Amino acid sequence: MKIFLHVCCAPDLTVSYKKLVEQGYEPIVFFYNPNIYPLQEYSKRLNEVKKLSNIWGFQLYEGDYEPDKFLERIKGGKNSLTANKEESPERCYECMKLRLEKTKTEAKRLNFSIYSTTLLASPRKSHSDILEITDNLDKEESSTFKYINFRSNNGVHMAAQICKTYNIYRQNYCGCSFSLDESKRYEEQSKQKNYKSLVEILGEELTQKYFKYYKKDLLRIPQDIPAKLLEKVGLKILKYLKPQIILIKKEIAQDFNILTSSRYKIDNWKGKVILW
C-alpha cells in the first residue's frame, strides 16, 4: 500500500523508510521544509534525500522552497520574531503544523489515502504535538495520518548506522535560523568547557599551544602531540580535544595498550585510531 511520506531530512528518512517497507508500505516521499536556513543548507539536505532515492528507488516529490511562509507563520503572539530569538516549543509547533498542513493538502491532491512524516523519527520532536496537529487536520475528510513510532526499537541508533553505511550527511541543527543560532551557542559553550577542563590538566600555556587541534579531522602523534606529554598526563586529554581520527605511531600506542587500529572511546568521546 502506498503512503505519502513527508521527509524532514535524510537521516530521519533512513529509519522511517526501512520500517514502513518492513510493514508492507510503499513510501512516496515528499520533501517540504520552508523552515530550513540558509538556502545552501536546504539544497544540501534535499540532495541527501535524492541520494537515498537513487539508492533505494523511491519516488520523490519536491515541494517549493518557501521561507517567507515559514517566517510569516511564526510572527505574532508568543512566536513573534522580535519577542523571541531562540528556539521555542511554540515556534517548533507552528513549524511542524505548517509542513504537515502542506503534506495533507498534497496527499489529498495526489489521491493518497494515508500520509505520515519522518518527524516521528527525530529525537527532538514531540509525538504528542504531531498527533494533536494531525488529529485536527484529519477532521477534514480525505487522507488520514498514519502514526508509527519510528524511534522505537533503537530507531535513532539504526538511523545513525544507515547514515554511516551510505555516507549520509547528518546536520547538527534542526533547520531554521533560530536552531542554527542555538547550535552555535551550544558549540561555543562546549568548546569553552573543554578548554577549561584541559587547563586543569595541562595549565594555561600548554592548553593554548595544543587547543588549536580541537575537533580537528586528524591528530598526529607524536607530530602534533608529543609522546612525552601523553606519558605524563595520559590519553584523557584526547576527550577534551575531540579529534575525529588519531594517527599514532605503533610504538607509542603499545605503551597505552592500543594494539590495533580501531574505534577508541574515552568517556563520552570516541574517535578512530590508526596505527602506523
Side-chain angles (χ1 to χ4, degrees):
M1 184 177 187
K2 292 184 178 181
I3 183 170
F4 196 59
L5 180 66
H6 165 260
V7 56
C8 54
C9 63
D12 287 345
L13 173 60
T14 56
V15 65
S16 303
Y17 182 87
K18 288 289 188 181
K19 290 195 173 188
L20 283 170
V21 170
E22 287 174 0
Q23 295 186 30
Y25 291 99
E26 179 187 348
I28 307 299
V29 173
F30 176 52
F31 188 88
Y32 179 72
N33 300 286
N35 58 306
I36 297 177
Y37 174 89
L39 176 60
Q40 294 91 329
E41 180 71 16
Y42 176 88
S43 299
K44 190 172 186 177
R45 297 191 191 191
L46 175 57
N47 286 336
E48 291 301 289
V49 173
K50 289 180 178 179
K51 182 194 293 187
L52 288 176
S53 177
N54 291 332
I55 295 171
W56 290 335
F58 56 76
Q59 187 175 359
L60 171 63
Y61 286 90
E62 297 177 31
D64 294 331
Y65 182 48
E66 304 171 317
D68 289 346
K69 287 192 175 182
F70 166 70
L71 294 175
E72 185 63 33
R73 173 62 67 95
I74 62 175
K75 286 181 180 179
K78 293 181 180 179
N79 299 319
S80 171
L81 291 173
T82 56
N84 188 354
K85 293 293 184 181
E86 299 181 354
E87 280 193 282
S88 70
E90 294 86 359
R91 182 181 292 117
C92 290
Y93 185 94
E94 290 300 324
C95 177
M96 291 192 296
K97 185 178 179 182
L98 173 63
R99 289 182 280 174
L100 289 167
E101 285 173 349
K102 183 69 171 181
T103 303
K104 169 90 172 181
T105 299
E106 288 300 295
K108 179 180 179 181
R109 184 180 70 84
L110 295 168
N111 296 316
F112 286 92
S113 60
I114 54 174
Y115 69 101
S116 193
T117 177
T118 61
L119 291 168
L120 293 168
S122 171
R124 303 182 65 181
K125 299 305 178 190
S126 166
H127 283 203
S128 60
D129 283 350
I130 293 171
L131 287 171
E132 181 180 281
I133 293 168
T134 54
D135 282 348
N136 288 328
L137 290 176
D138 287 351
K139 289 177 181 178
E140 174 193 343
E141 294 183 4
S142 66
S143 306
T144 302
F145 184 74
K146 176 66 177 179
Y147 172 75
I148 299 176
N149 185 358
F150 296 126
R151 296 195 302 237
S152 65
N153 298 320
N154 294 317
V156 176
H157 176 72
M158 185 187 303
Q161 291 301 112
I162 298 173
C163 286
K164 184 178 179 181
T165 299
Y166 295 111
N167 192 28
I168 298 298
Y169 163 64
R170 298 176 68 193
Q171 65 275 2
N172 62 0
Y173 69 102
C174 184
C176 70
S177 60
F178 306 99
S179 63
L180 175 58
D181 290 342
E182 188 74 13
S183 175
K184 289 178 178 178
R185 283 192 293 271
Y186 176 81
E187 174 59 30
E188 183 58 32
Q189 290 170 359
S190 177
K191 184 177 181 180
Q192 292 301 320
K193 183 178 179 181
N194 283 295
Y195 183 90
K196 290 178 181 178
S197 296
L198 209 54
V199 168
E200 293 178 1
I201 299 172
L202 300 179
E204 187 73 37
E205 184 177 349
L206 287 178
T207 298
Q208 288 182 2
K209 181 177 181 179
Y210 295 115
F211 204 68
K212 62 184 177 182
Y213 298 114
Y214 179 72
K215 286 195 172 181
K216 288 291 185 180
D217 291 336
L218 179 65
L219 179 67
R220 302 168 302 167
I221 300 173
Q223 293 93 329
D224 300 327
I225 304 292
K228 288 185 178 180
L229 178 63
L230 291 179
E231 290 172 3
K232 182 179 179 180
V233 300
L235 293 178
K236 61 183 178 181
I237 66 169
L238 297 177
K239 72 177 182 180
Y240 301 118
L241 292 176
K242 300 184 182 299
Q244 295 294 315
I245 299 174
I246 299 169
L247 188 63
I248 183 171
K249 201 169 182 179
K250 287 182 180 179
E251 292 81 358
I252 299 173
Q254 289 173 357
D255 292 337
F256 297 96
N257 294 318
I258 300 175
L259 305 178
T260 60
S261 298
S262 63
R263 300 290 293 180
Y264 193 81
K265 184 175 182 180
I266 304 176
D267 294 339
N268 63 345
W269 168 84
K270 61 181 178 180
K272 187 175 183 179
V273 175
I274 300 176
L275 307 186
W276 64 279

